[in-house]
Amino acid sequence: DTGVSQNPRHKITKRGQNVTFRCDPISEHNRLYWYRQTLGQGPEFLTYFQNEAQLEKSRLLSDRFSAERPKGSFSTLEIQRTEQGDSAMYLCASSLSGGLSNQPQHFGDGTRLSIL
Amino acid sequence: KNQVEQSPQSLIILEGKNCTLQCNYTVSPFSNLRWYKQDTGRGPVSLTIMTFSENTKSNGRYTATLDADTKQSSLHITASQLSDSASYICVVSDQGSQGNLIFGKGTKLSVKP
């Protein structure tokens, strides 16, 4: 399968713990995006990378959240000192660059985070 | 504030019937509008992408229309199948942001036999 891969698919943790998610994009895609989706809502933009550079961050990305894409390939999203409100599906997407006009974002199936 | 509003919130139709989903947006400046299909527990899958100069785009039984003047779009599904049961999300790209896509809450479609 050459689509976007996210691991783990599910993560259950206690409040206050740190969690890290991984995203492997489609290999030739240089853009990588992170979104958060809660039940009944559409995804909300968190951040995106072009190659290894983090070019944009949403105000939703508090100081407890950090994302990296060290070699311009896979990316990790870490949440420190998790809170109940962090419970959500975390989606990763990748695309080619060259303007947004006709470049679809290909999504992974997400990591569902549940905070106890 | 940039917003994307979708209607109806949910819809139930019989297999074989057609349906139309609506999307209104206030995003400005506008770059493009996308429709995604999201099955339960899965990531969204792109159906169509339209720039402001395009009025209609088809992908199999899915046809999207765009009126950039009234800031409205619709997604028409023809001859629905059980596998069409999913959430359909309208997404608008803000020209001022390279990364920020603004998602609607989606229309949850249920196709019954």
Side-chain angles (χ1 to χ4, degrees):
Chain A
D1 189 301
T2 57
V4 177
S5 176
Q6 292 189 247
N7 287 288
R9 289 296 315 277
H10 304 276
K11 180 70 176 179
I12 301 173
T13 192
K14 293 182 179 179
R15 183 168 55 90
Q17 298 295 305
N18 299 343
V19 293
T20 299
F21 312 139
R22 176 177 170 128
C23 172
D24 288 272
I26 293 173
S27 57
E28 62 266 30
H29 286 180
N30 53 359
R31 285 194 174 175
L32 186 148
Y33 311 79
W34 285 99
Y35 294 89
R36 181 174 68 188
Q37 185 175 25
T38 53
L39 201 61
Q41 304 293 316
E44 295 174 295
F45 170 77
L46 293 178
T47 187
Y48 97 97
F49 293 83
Q50 177 144 327
N51 300 312
E52 67 275 10
Q54 188 173 18
L55 296 187
E56 195 169 339
K57 293 196 292 186
S58 162
R59 288 171 297 180
L60 293 174
L61 212 66
S62 76
D63 292 345
R64 298 183 298 105
F65 287 70
S66 62
E68 294 182 343
R69 195 183 183 197
K71 297 182 179 179
S73 56
F74 74 91
S75 176
T76 57
L77 177 67
E78 180 183 16
I79 308 174
Q80 295 181 325
R81 305 181 303 281
T82 52
E83 301 174 355
Q84 290 281 347
D86 296 333
S87 295
M89 174 80 86
Y90 290 84
L91 291 164
C92 175
S94 70
S95 74
L96 295 168
S97 61
L100 284 178
S101 292
N102 291 302
Q103 300 298 339
Q105 292 188 6
H106 298 261
F107 283 82
D109 285 333
T111 293
R112 181 167 293 285
L113 175 65
S114 298
I115 306 298
L116 302 177
Chain B
K1 181 181 177 181
N2 288 332
Q3 287 187 315
V4 177
E5 302 286 343
Q6 292 188 243
S7 62
Q9 189 173 2
S10 62
L11 182 63
I12 301 174
I13 62 173
L14 293 176
E15 185 180 12
K17 298 296 186 183
N18 304 336
C19 67
T20 300
L21 314 180
Q22 301 292 342
C23 173
N24 297 334
Y25 62 93
T26 60
V27 179
S28 181
F30 162 83
S31 179
N32 59 68
L33 185 144
R34 309 161 184 229
W35 282 94
Y36 281 85
K37 176 186 179 186
Q38 186 173 25
D39 292 313
T40 301
R42 305 296 299 273
V45 174
S46 179
L47 296 176
T48 62
I49 300 175
M50 290 182 291
T51 64
F52 65 89
S53 61
E54 295 177 289
N55 299 121
T56 185
K57 184 161 281 189
S58 292
N59 177 1
R61 294 180 297 102
Y62 302 103
T63 298
T65 65
L66 173 64
D67 186 334
D69 292 329
T70 62
K71 297 187 177 181
Q72 295 179 325
S73 175
S74 66
L75 180 69
H76 186 74
I77 304 174
T78 304
S80 60
Q81 300 176 359
L82 297 179
S83 59
D84 292 333
S85 295
S87 285
Y88 291 83
I89 306 175
C90 176
V91 187
V92 180
S93 171
D94 176 358
Q95 196 175 68
S97 165
Q98 284 293 307
N100 193 358
L101 297 183
I102 300 166
F103 289 72
K105 293 182 179 181
T107 292
K108 188 173 177 60
L109 174 66
S110 297
V111 181
K112 302 295 187 183

